[in-house]
Amino acid sequence: MSLVTAIIFLGTPHHGSNLAKILNSLLAVSNPKQYLSDLAQASPMIEDINEQFRHFVTEVKIASFYESRYTTVGLKKMMIVEKQSAILGCSSEIAQPLDADHHQLCKFGDKNDSNYNMVKKTLASFLPSIIGPGEVLVNFTVVAAYLNLSQDSSTADMKADSLEKISILLAIQEAPEADLNFYSDRRMPETCSWILSDPTFISWKDSTVVGHTLWINGTAGSGKSILASFLVQHFQTEGINCMYYFFRSGDKTQLSASTFLRSIAFQIAQKDSKYRAFLEELGDTGARFEKTELKLLWQKLFVTLSTKLNLLNPIYIIVDGLDESDAPQTLLTLLSQPTDIPLNFVIVSRSSSALSSGFDKVSNSRLVTRMSSESNEDDISDFVERELQMMHGNETLRRDVTGEVIKRASGNFLWVHLVTQEILDCHTQGEIEQVLETIPSGMQPLYERIEDGMAKNLRPVDQKLARTLLSWAVCAQRPLSLEELAEAIEPAFPHIIDLRHTIGYICSSLLVVDRKSRVLLIHKTAREYLTKVSTGPLAIVPATSHNELFLRCMSSLCDPRLLSQRRYSSIPSLVTYAARSWPFHLQAHAGDPETLTSLMTFLQNPSILAWIQLLSTQDQLHILVQSSRSLSVFVERRRSLDAFLAPNLRPLQALEAIDLWIIDLVKIVGKFGRNLLDTPNSIFKFIPPFCPTGSVIHRQFGRRSTLLVSLSRNSNTTWDDSLAKLFIGAASQTLRIMCIGRYFAILTTSDSVILWNSATCQRSSEIIHGEHVITMCASNSGKLIATYGFRTTKIWDVSNGRETLSIPNPSQGKALGLRFSKNDAEIWVGSDDRKFWRIPLSNTDVGWQEFGPNLFSTEAALAGTKLNSPCSIAFSPDGTQIAVAFRGAPLTVWSVNQPELLARCRREWKEGGKANARPWTHTNTVLWHPQSGEVLGIYQDSAVFKWHPLDRTSQDLGIHASVINCSPDGDLFAASDMHGTIKIWKYYDFALIYQLRCEYPVTDLTFSQDNRRLYDLRGSFCNVWEPNSLIRLSELESAGSENRSESGLTVVLTNMSEAEVETVEPISAVSVSPKGDIYCIGNTEGSVLVVHHEGYEMGELWSSPSFLPIENIVWGADGKRVAFRDLGGNVIVQDVEFVNRSPNRIGVSSRTVFKATVKDEIGSMNQLLLSPQSDMILIASPNSAQVWSLYSGSCTARWRYEDNNAVFKWLNHPLSSDHLLAIGATKAFSVGWLDLAQRDSYVFRIPKSHEPSKSSNTLDRIRKPPLPRSMSSDNTDAEIGHAATTQDGLHVMIETSKFFQDHNKSERQLMFFCKADFDGTSTPISPRPIPTALFDQLQLPLGILSGEKFVFLNNDNWLCSCRLDSEEGVAGIKRHFFLPRDWLNGECLELCQVTANGALVVPKGGDVAWIKSDLGVKW
């Protein structure tokens, strides 16, 4: 078997045949054969062979083809090998019918035979596993040619890679084939074919109307789903482009309308290369659609395509069970809208007044045909005759029984199936007659009969087992496999030998096991009966059953073995289900007292961390948000029930603990989600100590970590909503912000656009336009950015930051509106000179073309007004309309395609209790709602309004703002007032859900593409906010756009959350004492403090009377003297003395020994340095320096370099206490402390390297590139950035940046020199080689500790170390811990330091964190 890769079976009786008994009976008189007995259905020999065979073929591809036509045997027709016997039942088996009888099953007519092609395609699909990567088989060419396959597999590999990317984009969890197989397996051959000759179906299929929808409706049990599976296979056989989806009530995860749309898109991508390329491009932008709102998802996948598909015929989409969807009405609304893809729908569902009304609305825009699924009399007759073919008794009895069953069927296949099953279990004619007399018509009475029969015939223990199995089948969030179900019931029913057999014995009428070994209810009507009708022993009370299932999930997750198996190489099957589904059961439970006890046990021990780790390994962190929501529902319900209890009987402490977890679970996802996905076990090691001290996760688990974190102000006590605060630069102000693919872009006053990675909040690149940029916009594909300057418009490739096009501007006007056309083929500009231009990007030589002359025509002005210079312009989302706000006229909307005025905005308001209508009001700001067709704006008096230009309705929203914006899907609306307070509303009901108070005014704001974040611009900063309310709302809407929870409960988000940002002066300077356990900090308000590493303030050294920011702090070598300077040039030196203030705390007192104001004669000061004896101080600018005596208070020496453009950094000489080093980018000087006279000169011998590749991913122009690079000798424009003596005292670390003139590109470089290099005898000197593996990871070098341990921060914000002499490459890098992304921005990175004993000092807003880890441990 080791040489066997695949097996194809044709009509093989895997499970035997009843015909064997007949044949053996005929031979009984003469010569009976034992082997014929062994071929009997379910014979011990057959079952033993099958069981052994399954163990041998776990890695073998299996395909089983079965006959679908009856074989003529004498005067009769019969199925030689039944479908059930022809299918082996292996988990990976492919089972397909062939249109042939048993004789013709393997006899193909020619190459056009459909049976031949089906077997050929199956064999072709096995080839990749037969011929593995890199293998060469001599006869592969022959096989490939015979199967008409390409000999070059690269195309198939590319398609597979593309589909893998698309599956990530669309969050595809499971292929729809499983549902198709489930229903097709249950279809009897030759049934359902009646629909192909039905006149209504023929008329619909032959219709040439694109978008023609067929609604097939019927009653429960009439075979609708099986009919849908038949249509799918029929269309596929005919070669018609057919996609499909089954909404299955037994699987809550499959009821999502979002999952349906994403599945259909994935299926189209599998078949259409252009659509596949379109989705792959979307995926390359970083988009993810799992949580995208339904209407926006429809728009992105099917409406606003950037490419046209060359489809001559429409795509047929078959949807089964629309009535079971979580958003049927929303889906019908979407399906009625026009699309860029020709789609014809077949909707199969139950009939209801709501759906009927929905289809009436669809018929206003689409042609809708309706038909019934119950024209199935012939199918039922065939089914009954086939099922009763083997019934005991004579032909007359069989004919009478068949006729009676058909007569009473009423089109219900399910009823027929259950009745025939009961008849076949009878042993006498009398029993059969009794069944026919007593069997009820209709499903409900039949279910009652089944339940009564189980109650009478099953032992009490089997009845209990049956009810337990039914509880899991009815209430589980998704169908459980046999293995999972066995574990689920194991505490009460241990060691069941064969659960499949047990289910068939005690629940065969209600449960089925599908091809994937999942246990399912036989039909959705069984669920309705058990939960709503039954009062017997099998009745299921959902709330009670959910409570039982919740307790079982908790016991599974709290199993101590789970903590010991944290790598999850092998975990119990039920654990995965329990981890994802306990919130679902908790939200629907009945409130049993045991629930709270079990829940608290889970929340209070490390099992909750193991649960979070497990979800992280499975990329299921959204379950944490769902859990938070379920816990909130639970707490609210529990408090309502406890309201009638005495206060001393209420579990107040437990509920308060749950309240804290409700907050923490959401914050963990927001603050640490990326870290958890990267390193799941960080939930045990790193995350708890980084959480606020008041959080429940820190309280319970923070002290168990080996990581020790202390903050200077101990302000990290509660969670905040800030995900990051990004500093643009002191010389720049922020203007505009927008989200584009995996980035967000910020337009600045420095003629540039800065791109930031939205996942990491790290600066990615900077695009420099070269002149002041007025506005910017992103392409619809997310690949391009357009920037509009004073003189030119430029197009940039987002992926590499390169300029792709530069176009002279069309006029001298200032651009107020800029956008790409729908297909990104053109750029459109609206300017303040009342001009509207467009230019094709593929042929800019034609120049800018002005839209029609009637656009913005003064003749359209309202009487008494003048269409003067516009102040705001906005294009509609579809590009067909443009809204223009004038300074001297009302807001107007114009048509683009046929330039003409469409509407003017009239303001309605009340004065003195009487409604008045004034002609118009000046509008300052205008934008379009993404979905509704409404225009939003801000009047001159800051009042916010919305107005629909087509129906001419307007509404003052009752709020005042200076900045407004909508979320991408239009569901959320945000506004900021002039004081900087931001409010967020749900747009359609205008319910306030969030408010953020912050005193600095907002320049611009925008939502992230998934609605979970809000970005705002304030001065030189960009704030990234991720409030719990947005995260919860995002999860709620992704679960179902019609707000129906899985349990049937309606979840309403009503509570408004509020946050307030504390104004804290940022840290501007940090210096660690040589003693290593204290540090000194300065802030932007002019205060200088000494702080102990445990986090408490030891004392204040200085407070600037002018509140000038502190810019430099340095310690003396003995740790007893501190020097610092402020922005005004004031330099202060103080002696510090440490005193015991209390048994556990040390204080500090200080005395000023030097104070001077250094004039601008030396230029802009940027460095202070105390001499080794702390008796002199160096005050330096980039290319000059002064030495001052701390005893006389006078300047004793001056130094200036002849090149005014040169930049130097200063260090105490590592070998001589009487000298300093002046370090530049390419050389260094040794000078004396007393006179600053030059002693020695050191030229850096820099190894030659190639110029930067023109195809490099590094952007052409980067002011502060993220990746250091090794130094190269082609350095003509190099500048020193940072120089320091390393912590081990043995090296000098130098960071420089160089600019490549030829390539218009700059890079940072890093060099390490041994201190012995500066002994004055060796010049030029060479830097130590740095392992090249570091360069792709290095973000910030931090120094070298003892033992040659190089310490740095990598691009993922992990503190890392490696030996400088290591030859292990990346494998030699050790990651110690990561820093939360909201702790870091450009300013913080520049101030990070590592102490000699391995502690990391990190500024965080107005705090400084001291982090102790295993970094200081010796190798």
Side-chain angles (χ1 to χ4, degrees), residues 213 215 322-323 327-337 347 349-370 1042:
T213 298
W215 180 29
L322 179 66
D323 52 309
Q329 297 299 327
T330 304
L331 275 180
L332 284 179
T333 301
L334 295 178
L335 301 186
S336 66
Q337 298 175 1
I347 310 293
S349 72
R350 294 195 212 184
S351 180
S352 68
S353 57
L355 279 182
S356 182
S357 175
F359 276 105
D360 288 340
K361 296 177 182 178
V362 172
S363 62
N364 293 329
S365 55
R366 278 181 179 263
L367 184 59
V368 176
T369 298
R370 311 183 188 209
E1042 291 175 14

Side-chain angles (χ1 to χ4, degrees), residues 726-734 750 754 763 1019-1021 1387:
L726 310 173
F727 182 58
I728 307 302
S732 297
Q733 295 288 303
T734 57
S750 300
I754 304 175
R763 185 170 176 152
S1020 298
F1021 290 90
E1387 287 182 307

Side-chain angles (χ1 to χ4, degrees), residues 252-253 255-256 326 477 584 587 1039 1044-1049:
K252 310 300 187 300
T253 61
L255 299 183
S256 165
D326 63 0
Q477 189 175 22
F584 168 75
Q587 191 165 319
R1044 188 177 66 186
S1045 74
E1046 307 292 4
S1047 60
L1049 298 173

Side-chain angles (χ1 to χ4, degrees), residues 784-1037:
L784 303 173
I785 285 180
T787 55
Y788 192 97
F790 275 140
R791 294 177 295 276
T792 58
T793 299
K794 295 186 178 182
I795 311 298
W796 308 82
D797 188 328
V798 174
S799 65
N800 57 28
R802 293 185 184 276
E803 178 187 312
T804 63
L805 201 60
S806 180
I807 315 165
N809 287 346
S811 68
Q812 297 300 317
K814 175 184 176 182
L816 299 178
L818 181 71
R819 72 159 285 166
F820 285 82
S821 61
K822 182 179 178 181
N823 58 2
D824 294 339
E826 296 180 336
I827 280 286
W828 297 353
V829 177
S831 56
D832 63 357
D833 56 0
R834 290 191 290 108
K835 299 293 184 181
F836 184 26
W837 306 88
R838 64 182 175 186
I839 188 170
L841 299 181
S842 60
N843 184 18
T844 58
D845 291 340
V846 301
W848 292 90
Q849 301 170 3
E850 189 175 359
F851 278 75
N854 293 328
L855 198 61
F856 306 159
S857 170
T858 57
E859 297 178 0
L862 189 68
T865 66
K866 183 180 180 180
L867 296 184
N868 52 10
S869 179
C871 58
S872 182
I873 293 177
F875 298 96
S876 65
D878 60 3
T880 61
Q881 300 173 65
I882 180 170
V884 186
F886 295 96
R887 290 181 171 85
L891 171 65
T892 57
V893 168
W894 304 72
S895 171
V896 172
N897 297 329
Q898 297 180 346
E900 61 180 355
L901 177 67
L902 293 179
R904 298 186 184 91
C905 179
R906 300 175 65 89
R907 184 176 184 182
E908 304 281 345
W909 72 87
K910 294 183 179 181
E911 288 184 357
K914 295 182 179 180
N916 296 312
R918 292 186 178 179
W920 61 275
T921 299
H922 172 59
T923 302
N924 288 336
T925 303
V926 61
L927 61 88
W928 288 84
H929 186 269
Q931 300 288 339
S932 68
E934 294 174 312
V935 173
L936 292 149
I938 303 175
Y939 287 128
Q940 189 175 19
D941 59 2
S942 77
V944 181
F945 68 93
K946 64 178 179 179
W947 167 57
H948 203 298
L950 297 184
D951 60 23
R952 312 297 173 88
T953 59
S954 66
Q955 179 186 355
D956 193 316
L957 299 179
I959 59 174
H960 289 77
S962 57
V963 180
I964 59 175
N965 212 338
C966 286
S967 61
D969 59 11
D971 278 359
L972 299 175
F973 174 73
S976 175
D977 63 21
M978 64 181 66
H979 304 294
T981 297
I982 295 175
K983 295 181 180 180
I984 301 177
W985 294 264
K986 294 185 71 176
Y987 181 79
Y988 293 103
D989 59 9
F990 225 68
L992 182 64
I993 62 171
Y994 180 69
Q995 178 172 291
L996 173 72
R997 297 183 183 275
C998 187
E999 66 179 41
Y1000 295 107
V1002 172
T1003 307
D1004 195 15
L1005 54 81
T1006 191
F1007 288 91
S1008 63
Q1009 294 184 336
D1010 59 5
N1011 289 5
R1012 296 164 72 100
R1013 296 182 190 169
L1014 184 75
Y1015 302 90
D1016 76 43
L1017 303 180
R1018 303 172 192 256
S1020 298
F1021 290 90
C1022 171
N1023 294 291
V1024 185
W1025 309 102
E1026 193 168 66
N1028 281 17
S1029 55
L1030 290 188
I1031 298 175
R1032 289 196 183 108
L1033 185 62
S1034 174
E1035 291 293 336
L1036 180 63
E1037 291 184 340

Side-chain angles (χ1 to χ4, degrees), residues 258-496:
S258 172
T259 304
F260 156 64
L261 294 181
R262 288 184 279 113
S263 176
I264 295 300
F266 185 75
Q267 293 177 62
I268 296 175
Q270 288 178 306
K271 297 186 178 181
D272 189 278
S273 59
K274 281 199 169 184
Y275 189 70
R276 184 164 60 251
F278 162 70
L279 290 184
E280 188 175 5
E281 289 177 359
L282 281 178
D284 289 341
T285 66
R288 295 294 181 269
F289 289 156
E290 183 178 10
K291 304 299 178 186
T292 303
E293 190 272 338
L294 207 57
K295 290 174 284 187
L296 184 61
L297 184 64
W298 172 263
Q299 290 284 329
K300 286 185 174 293
L301 293 181
F302 304 109
V303 179
T304 56
L305 303 188
S306 61
T307 181
K308 291 293 182 183
L309 308 186
N310 297 327
L311 297 175
L312 299 177
N313 298 308
I315 294 174
Y316 289 84
I317 298 179
I318 298 175
V319 185
D320 176 63
L322 179 66
D323 52 309
E324 298 292 331
S325 162
D326 63 0
Q329 297 299 327
T330 304
L331 275 180
L332 284 179
T333 301
L334 295 178
L335 301 186
S336 66
Q337 298 175 1
T339 63
D340 281 357
I341 307 176
L343 302 176
N344 284 359
F345 288 92
V346 179
I347 310 293
V348 184
S349 72
R350 294 195 212 184
S351 180
S352 68
S353 57
L355 279 182
S356 182
S357 175
F359 276 105
D360 288 340
K361 296 177 182 178
V362 172
S363 62
N364 293 329
S365 55
R366 278 181 179 263
L367 184 59
V368 176
T369 298
R370 311 183 188 209
M371 67 176 293
S372 171
S373 66
E374 298 175 20
S375 302
N376 55 4
E377 295 84 358
D378 292 340
D379 285 352
I380 288 181
S381 297
D382 291 343
F383 180 78
V384 174
E385 290 175 358
R386 175 177 174 271
E387 289 294 300
L388 296 181
Q389 188 177 18
M390 297 302 173
M391 188 189 83
H392 300 291
N394 56 42
E395 187 64 32
T396 302
L397 178 62
R398 275 198 298 272
R399 186 171 56 251
D400 293 344
V401 171
T402 299
E404 181 65 19
V405 173
I406 293 172
K407 176 182 175 182
R408 298 174 59 183
S410 300
N412 193 318
F413 264 104
L414 180 60
W415 183 90
V416 169
H417 168 72
L418 294 174
V419 169
T420 54
Q421 192 177 45
E422 187 168 347
I423 290 173
L424 290 174
D425 287 338
C426 295
H427 300 283
T428 67
Q429 183 172 338
E431 290 178 358
I432 294 174
E433 292 172 351
Q434 184 180 9
V435 167
L436 292 175
E437 290 175 3
T438 58
I439 198 81
S441 299
M443 291 308 304
Q444 180 177 325
L446 182 57
Y447 283 133
E448 291 175 350
R449 176 186 175 89
I450 291 171
E451 184 179 18
D452 290 342
M454 293 173 68
K456 292 177 182 177
N457 300 326
L458 294 179
R459 298 175 301 164
V461 66
D462 288 342
Q463 288 186 39
K464 183 179 179 182
L465 174 58
R467 189 194 173 282
T468 301
L469 293 172
L470 290 171
S471 291
W472 281 97
V474 168
C475 296
Q477 189 175 22
R478 61 163 175 81
L480 270 65
S481 67
L482 286 169
E483 185 179 3
E484 290 174 324
L485 188 56
E487 287 186 18
I489 66 175
E490 190 173 37
F493 304 96
H495 311 305
I496 292 181

